[in-house]
Amino acid sequence: MPKTIGSISNRHALRSGSAWLACAPPATRRAFLDGLSEGELLALPYLFEFWAFEHQLPPEGDWRTWVILGGRGAGKTRAGAEWVRAMVEGSGPLDAGRARRVALVGETIDQVREVMIFGDSGLLACSPPDRRPAWQATRRRLLWPNGAVAQVFSAHEPEALRGPQFDAAWVDELAKWKKAGATWDMLQFGLRLGAHPQVCATTTPRNVDVLKEILARGSTVVTHAATEANRAYLAESFLSEVRGRYAGTRLGRQELDGVLLEDVEGALWTTKMLEGLRRKAPPPELDRIVVAVDPPVSGHAASDECGIVVAGVRMRGPVQDWRAYVLDDVSLRAGSPLGWARVAVTAMHAWGAERLVAEVNQGGDLVAEMLRQVDATLPYRAVHATRGKLARAEPVAALYEQGRVLHVGQFAELEDQMCRMSLQGYQGRGSPDRVDALVWALHELVLGPSAKAVRPRLRSL
């Protein structure tokens, strides 16, 4: 390994530099640092190719778009900022780089400013003092000492990209933009300066058409990394918490592993469908709330989960106008039947539910006995499965297709199971206990005899 930065003459050596330094004995590391001049020591923190992970460096070749797919905290923002630096900076602070006109595009102007420009891994934090651009707030742009300019754009306003022209662009979190297709199209028309305009797109993957179309193009190159790849710069408590909660789920594979998830063939529910039915605001006043339970066959640590889902319904007008709301998923793997019974009853009281329904095909009288031990006055109804899981789930999936069920918040594990329910059955490991509980709740509220029985009382509403 060379002893001075000046002697690191090729990209491969730079890429292996930090790995060599990290693995070297303390005496070797000290000798390396002592051998650097003052200028080289000052430059070392800003020599990104020396410190970067492989997924943070652009692939070789004649590409048009570089997509960096990564989990949360995988270093995507830093990679995007450093790529912009590499494009606009020349050999000296006032020397021209390969790009002179850059577009910075995020979901909103605020996100571009707070993440891509002023963020901990943004352009200002990454730039050395003698090359640091100045932020011109009134013009929404960055101006480098060498005259290069980066303009800021919001994906909410794709038409703002009509007119300006660029030789480079960095777009962040493309897969979550509501107007992603229109914004991407307008950007492509503006990338018409220089010999070879390029785009760097940093995003956590989502199953959206625009991202899949970009990835399918022959002019696109991709690098990929999970959250764990950047663990040296992340709090251990964060990694422990998110892995403990989301490991093995679709949300975890998307948000932590950075994997683009396609829906299973013949899925009853899709990621896109559920995203379109998500409600961030509290639900309206509900007429009925129930807690539904799908108990495990046995009650020990190795048992399947106990599905426990809270849902409510607003009953106004004819039954076809009713809207159901999934309020909570408190499913768990309890060590004993009494453990899940306590959680179910607690959820019922917390949400003011009027009834608890539980499938008793497996547990029989034991289910009622456990619940009564927790609350002897519990309004409870046992339900029996006379059809298979798929047959019970299909009419519930139809309610979703009609837009009649909304999710109040995000339920990662439940939605993971939902997207694995297909016309060929459940395409996951174990049993879809959370989906079973959801199905029982919506049958109780909208589809089953109990829902029909409450209709007469609605005439007075």
mmCIF file with all atom_site columns, all heavy atoms in Angstrom, residues 343-357:
data_model
loop_
_atom_site.group_PDB
_atom_site.id
_atom_site.type_symbol
_atom_site.label_atom_id
_atom_site.label_alt_id
_atom_site.label_comp_id
_atom_site.label_asym_id
_atom_site.label_entity_id
_atom_site.label_seq_id
_atom_site.pdbx_PDB_ins_code
_atom_site.Cartn_x
_atom_site.Cartn_y
_atom_site.Cartn_z
_atom_site.occupancy
_atom_site.B_iso_or_equiv
_atom_site.pdbx_formal_charge
_atom_site.auth_seq_id
_atom_site.auth_comp_id
_atom_site.auth_asym_id
_atom_site.auth_atom_id
_atom_site.pdbx_PDB_model_num
ATOM 1   N N   . VAL A 1 343 ? -53.293 -9.892  26.020 1.00 0.00 ? 343 VAL A N   1
ATOM 2   C CA  . VAL A 1 343 ? -53.053 -8.873  24.991 1.00 0.00 ? 343 VAL A CA  1
ATOM 3   C C   . VAL A 1 343 ? -54.341 -8.558  24.240 1.00 0.00 ? 343 VAL A C   1
ATOM 4   O O   . VAL A 1 343 ? -54.661 -7.395  23.964 1.00 0.00 ? 343 VAL A O   1
ATOM 5   C CB  . VAL A 1 343 ? -51.955 -9.359  24.019 1.00 0.00 ? 343 VAL A CB  1
ATOM 6   C CG1 . VAL A 1 343 ? -51.844 -8.412  22.822 1.00 0.00 ? 343 VAL A CG1 1
ATOM 7   C CG2 . VAL A 1 343 ? -50.622 -9.464  24.740 1.00 0.00 ? 343 VAL A CG2 1
ATOM 8   N N   . ALA A 1 344 ? -55.113 -9.566  23.901 1.00 0.00 ? 344 ALA A N   1
ATOM 9   C CA  . ALA A 1 344 ? -56.355 -9.357  23.163 1.00 0.00 ? 344 ALA A CA  1
ATOM 10  C C   . ALA A 1 344 ? -57.354 -8.550  23.977 1.00 0.00 ? 344 ALA A C   1
ATOM 11  O O   . ALA A 1 344 ? -57.997 -7.618  23.467 1.00 0.00 ? 344 ALA A O   1
ATOM 12  C CB  . ALA A 1 344 ? -56.951 -10.701 22.767 1.00 0.00 ? 344 ALA A CB  1
ATOM 13  N N   . VAL A 1 345 ? -57.507 -8.885  25.249 1.00 0.00 ? 345 VAL A N   1
ATOM 14  C CA  . VAL A 1 345 ? -58.457 -8.160  26.097 1.00 0.00 ? 345 VAL A CA  1
ATOM 15  C C   . VAL A 1 345 ? -57.983 -6.721  26.321 1.00 0.00 ? 345 VAL A C   1
ATOM 16  O O   . VAL A 1 345 ? -58.780 -5.778  26.321 1.00 0.00 ? 345 VAL A O   1
ATOM 17  C CB  . VAL A 1 345 ? -58.648 -8.903  27.431 1.00 0.00 ? 345 VAL A CB  1
ATOM 18  C CG1 . VAL A 1 345 ? -59.491 -8.070  28.392 1.00 0.00 ? 345 VAL A CG1 1
ATOM 19  C CG2 . VAL A 1 345 ? -59.308 -10.251 27.181 1.00 0.00 ? 345 VAL A CG2 1
ATOM 20  N N   . THR A 1 346 ? -56.683 -6.542  26.508 1.00 0.00 ? 346 THR A N   1
ATOM 21  C CA  . THR A 1 346 ? -56.147 -5.175  26.665 1.00 0.00 ? 346 THR A CA  1
ATOM 22  C C   . THR A 1 346 ? -56.437 -4.336  25.437 1.00 0.00 ? 346 THR A C   1
ATOM 23  O O   . THR A 1 346 ? -56.826 -3.165  25.533 1.00 0.00 ? 346 THR A O   1
ATOM 24  C CB  . THR A 1 346 ? -54.630 -5.237  26.925 1.00 0.00 ? 346 THR A CB  1
ATOM 25  O OG1 . THR A 1 346 ? -54.385 -5.956  28.134 1.00 0.00 ? 346 THR A OG1 1
ATOM 26  C CG2 . THR A 1 346 ? -54.048 -3.837  27.042 1.00 0.00 ? 346 THR A CG2 1
ATOM 27  N N   . ALA A 1 347 ? -56.264 -4.922  24.250 1.00 0.00 ? 347 ALA A N   1
ATOM 28  C CA  . ALA A 1 347 ? -56.556 -4.195  23.015 1.00 0.00 ? 347 ALA A CA  1
ATOM 29  C C   . ALA A 1 347 ? -58.029 -3.836  22.926 1.00 0.00 ? 347 ALA A C   1
ATOM 30  O O   . ALA A 1 347 ? -58.396 -2.732  22.478 1.00 0.00 ? 347 ALA A O   1
ATOM 31  C CB  . ALA A 1 347 ? -56.143 -5.037  21.807 1.00 0.00 ? 347 ALA A CB  1
ATOM 32  N N   . MET A 1 348 ? -58.872 -4.733  23.376 1.00 0.00 ? 348 MET A N   1
ATOM 33  C CA  . MET A 1 348 ? -60.308 -4.471  23.330 1.00 0.00 ? 348 MET A CA  1
ATOM 34  C C   . MET A 1 348 ? -60.676 -3.276  24.192 1.00 0.00 ? 348 MET A C   1
ATOM 35  O O   . MET A 1 348 ? -61.414 -2.378  23.778 1.00 0.00 ? 348 MET A O   1
ATOM 36  C CB  . MET A 1 348 ? -61.060 -5.720  23.773 1.00 0.00 ? 348 MET A CB  1
ATOM 37  C CG  . MET A 1 348 ? -62.565 -5.584  23.641 1.00 0.00 ? 348 MET A CG  1
ATOM 38  S SD  . MET A 1 348 ? -63.395 -7.131  23.865 1.00 0.00 ? 348 MET A SD  1
ATOM 39  C CE  . MET A 1 348 ? -65.097 -6.570  23.679 1.00 0.00 ? 348 MET A CE  1
ATOM 40  N N   . HIS A 1 349 ? -60.144 -3.227  25.410 1.00 0.00 ? 349 HIS A N   1
ATOM 41  C CA  . HIS A 1 349 ? -60.432 -2.103  26.301 1.00 0.00 ? 349 HIS A CA  1
ATOM 42  C C   . HIS A 1 349 ? -59.802 -0.815  25.776 1.00 0.00 ? 349 HIS A C   1
ATOM 43  O O   . HIS A 1 349 ? -60.409 0.261   25.864 1.00 0.00 ? 349 HIS A O   1
ATOM 44  C CB  . HIS A 1 349 ? -59.926 -2.412  27.709 1.00 0.00 ? 349 HIS A CB  1
ATOM 45  C CG  . HIS A 1 349 ? -60.669 -3.536  28.385 1.00 0.00 ? 349 HIS A CG  1
ATOM 46  N ND1 . HIS A 1 349 ? -62.032 -3.666  28.299 1.00 0.00 ? 349 HIS A ND1 1
ATOM 47  C CD2 . HIS A 1 349 ? -60.238 -4.583  29.148 1.00 0.00 ? 349 HIS A CD2 1
ATOM 48  C CE1 . HIS A 1 349 ? -62.422 -4.737  28.985 1.00 0.00 ? 349 HIS A CE1 1
ATOM 49  N NE2 . HIS A 1 349 ? -61.336 -5.316  29.511 1.00 0.00 ? 349 HIS A NE2 1
ATOM 50  N N   . ALA A 1 350 ? -58.592 -0.898  25.243 1.00 0.00 ? 350 ALA A N   1
ATOM 51  C CA  . ALA A 1 350 ? -57.898 0.296   24.764 1.00 0.00 ? 350 ALA A CA  1
ATOM 52  C C   . ALA A 1 350 ? -58.640 0.961   23.609 1.00 0.00 ? 350 ALA A C   1
ATOM 53  O O   . ALA A 1 350 ? -58.671 2.193   23.503 1.00 0.00 ? 350 ALA A O   1
ATOM 54  C CB  . ALA A 1 350 ? -56.473 -0.067  24.339 1.00 0.00 ? 350 ALA A CB  1
ATOM 55  N N   . TRP A 1 351 ? -59.251 0.165   22.749 1.00 0.00 ? 351 TRP A N   1
ATOM 56  C CA  . TRP A 1 351 ? -59.932 0.701   21.578 1.00 0.00 ? 351 TRP A CA  1
ATOM 57  C C   . TRP A 1 351 ? -61.435 0.874   21.789 1.00 0.00 ? 351 TRP A C   1
ATOM 58  O O   . TRP A 1 351 ? -62.129 1.362   20.891 1.00 0.00 ? 351 TRP A O   1
ATOM 59  C CB  . TRP A 1 351 ? -59.694 -0.200  20.365 1.00 0.00 ? 351 TRP A CB  1
ATOM 60  C CG  . TRP A 1 351 ? -58.313 -0.053  19.796 1.00 0.00 ? 351 TRP A CG  1
ATOM 61  C CD1 . TRP A 1 351 ? -57.231 -0.834  20.033 1.00 0.00 ? 351 TRP A CD1 1
ATOM 62  C CD2 . TRP A 1 351 ? -57.878 0.975   18.902 1.00 0.00 ? 351 TRP A CD2 1
ATOM 63  N NE1 . TRP A 1 351 ? -56.135 -0.380  19.342 1.00 0.00 ? 351 TRP A NE1 1
ATOM 64  C CE2 . TRP A 1 351 ? -56.499 0.733   18.639 1.00 0.00 ? 351 TRP A CE2 1
ATOM 65  C CE3 . TRP A 1 351 ? -58.499 2.062   18.293 1.00 0.00 ? 351 TRP A CE3 1
ATOM 66  C CZ2 . TRP A 1 351 ? -55.748 1.547   17.792 1.00 0.00 ? 351 TRP A CZ2 1
ATOM 67  C CZ3 . TRP A 1 351 ? -57.749 2.872   17.455 1.00 0.00 ? 351 TRP A CZ3 1
ATOM 68  C CH2 . TRP A 1 351 ? -56.403 2.623   17.210 1.00 0.00 ? 351 TRP A CH2 1
ATOM 69  N N   . GLY A 1 352 ? -61.932 0.463   22.945 1.00 0.00 ? 352 GLY A N   1
ATOM 70  C CA  . GLY A 1 352 ? -63.370 0.577   23.186 1.00 0.00 ? 352 GLY A CA  1
ATOM 71  C C   . GLY A 1 352 ? -64.176 -0.337  22.280 1.00 0.00 ? 352 GLY A C   1
ATOM 72  O O   . GLY A 1 352 ? -65.274 0.026   21.828 1.00 0.00 ? 352 GLY A O   1
ATOM 73  N N   . ALA A 1 353 ? -63.645 -1.517  22.008 1.00 0.00 ? 353 ALA A N   1
ATOM 74  C CA  . ALA A 1 353 ? -64.318 -2.451  21.114 1.00 0.00 ? 353 ALA A CA  1
ATOM 75  C C   . ALA A 1 353 ? -65.564 -3.024  21.774 1.00 0.00 ? 353 ALA A C   1
ATOM 76  O O   . ALA A 1 353 ? -65.617 -3.208  23.001 1.00 0.00 ? 353 ALA A O   1
ATOM 77  C CB  . ALA A 1 353 ? -63.367 -3.582  20.722 1.00 0.00 ? 353 ALA A CB  1
ATOM 78  N N   . GLU A 1 354 ? -66.555 -3.316  20.962 1.00 0.00 ? 354 GLU A N   1
ATOM 79  C CA  . GLU A 1 354 ? -67.800 -3.833  21.512 1.00 0.00 ? 354 GLU A CA  1
ATOM 80  C C   . GLU A 1 354 ? -67.849 -5.349  21.553 1.00 0.00 ? 354 GLU A C   1
ATOM 81  O O   . GLU A 1 354 ? -68.703 -5.928  22.221 1.00 0.00 ? 354 GLU A O   1
ATOM 82  C CB  . GLU A 1 354 ? -68.997 -3.310  20.718 1.00 0.00 ? 354 GLU A CB  1
ATOM 83  C CG  . GLU A 1 354 ? -69.144 -3.867  19.331 1.00 0.00 ? 354 GLU A CG  1
ATOM 84  C CD  . GLU A 1 354 ? -70.441 -3.422  18.677 1.00 0.00 ? 354 GLU A CD  1
ATOM 85  O OE1 . GLU A 1 354 ? -70.772 -2.225  18.755 1.00 0.00 ? 354 GLU A OE1 1
ATOM 86  O OE2 . GLU A 1 354 ? -71.119 -4.274  18.088 1.00 0.00 ? 354 GLU A OE2 1
ATOM 87  N N   . ARG A 1 355 ? -66.925 -5.999  20.853 1.00 0.00 ? 355 ARG A N   1
ATOM 88  C CA  . ARG A 1 355 ? -66.945 -7.456  20.844 1.00 0.00 ? 355 ARG A CA  1
ATOM 89  C C   . ARG A 1 355 ? -65.572 -8.005  20.487 1.00 0.00 ? 355 ARG A C   1
ATOM 90  O O   . ARG A 1 355 ? -64.809 -7.369  19.752 1.00 0.00 ? 355 ARG A O   1
ATOM 91  C CB  . ARG A 1 355 ? -67.987 -7.967  19.847 1.00 0.00 ? 355 ARG A CB  1
ATOM 92  C CG  . ARG A 1 355 ? -68.148 -9.488  19.820 1.00 0.00 ? 355 ARG A CG  1
ATOM 93  C CD  . ARG A 1 355 ? -69.250 -9.903  18.863 1.00 0.00 ? 355 ARG A CD  1
ATOM 94  N NE  . ARG A 1 355 ? -70.550 -9.390  19.278 1.00 0.00 ? 355 ARG A NE  1
ATOM 95  C CZ  . ARG A 1 355 ? -71.333 -9.974  20.187 1.00 0.00 ? 355 ARG A CZ  1
ATOM 96  N NH1 . ARG A 1 355 ? -70.929 -11.094 20.780 1.00 0.00 ? 355 ARG A NH1 1
ATOM 97  N NH2 . ARG A 1 355 ? -72.494 -9.465  20.495 1.00 0.00 ? 355 ARG A NH2 1
ATOM 98  N N   . LEU A 1 356 ? -65.280 -9.176  21.001 1.00 0.00 ? 356 LEU A N   1
ATOM 99  C CA  . LEU A 1 356 ? -64.095 -9.935  20.616 1.00 0.00 ? 356 LEU A CA  1
ATOM 100 C C   . LEU A 1 356 ? -64.567 -11.207 19.932 1.00 0.00 ? 356 LEU A C   1
ATOM 101 O O   . LEU A 1 356 ? -65.411 -11.934 20.478 1.00 0.00 ? 356 LEU A O   1
ATOM 102 C CB  . LEU A 1 356 ? -63.223 -10.251 21.823 1.00 0.00 ? 356 LEU A CB  1
ATOM 103 C CG  . LEU A 1 356 ? -61.850 -10.889 21.533 1.00 0.00 ? 356 LEU A CG  1
ATOM 104 C CD1 . LEU A 1 356 ? -60.824 -10.458 22.582 1.00 0.00 ? 356 LEU A CD1 1
ATOM 105 C CD2 . LEU A 1 356 ? -61.927 -12.415 21.492 1.00 0.00 ? 356 LEU A CD2 1
ATOM 106 N N   . VAL A 1 357 ? -64.050 -11.459 18.742 1.00 0.00 ? 357 VAL A N   1
ATOM 107 C CA  . VAL A 1 357 ? -64.375 -12.693 18.032 1.00 0.00 ? 357 VAL A CA  1
ATOM 108 C C   . VAL A 1 357 ? -63.113 -13.525 17.921 1.00 0.00 ? 357 VAL A C   1
ATOM 109 O O   . VAL A 1 357 ? -62.021 -12.989 17.708 1.00 0.00 ? 357 VAL A O   1
ATOM 110 C CB  . VAL A 1 357 ? -64.970 -12.411 16.638 1.00 0.00 ? 357 VAL A CB  1
ATOM 111 C CG1 . VAL A 1 357 ? -66.287 -11.668 16.757 1.00 0.00 ? 357 VAL A CG1 1
ATOM 112 C CG2 . VAL A 1 357 ? -64.008 -11.640 15.755 1.00 0.00 ? 357 VAL A CG2 1
#
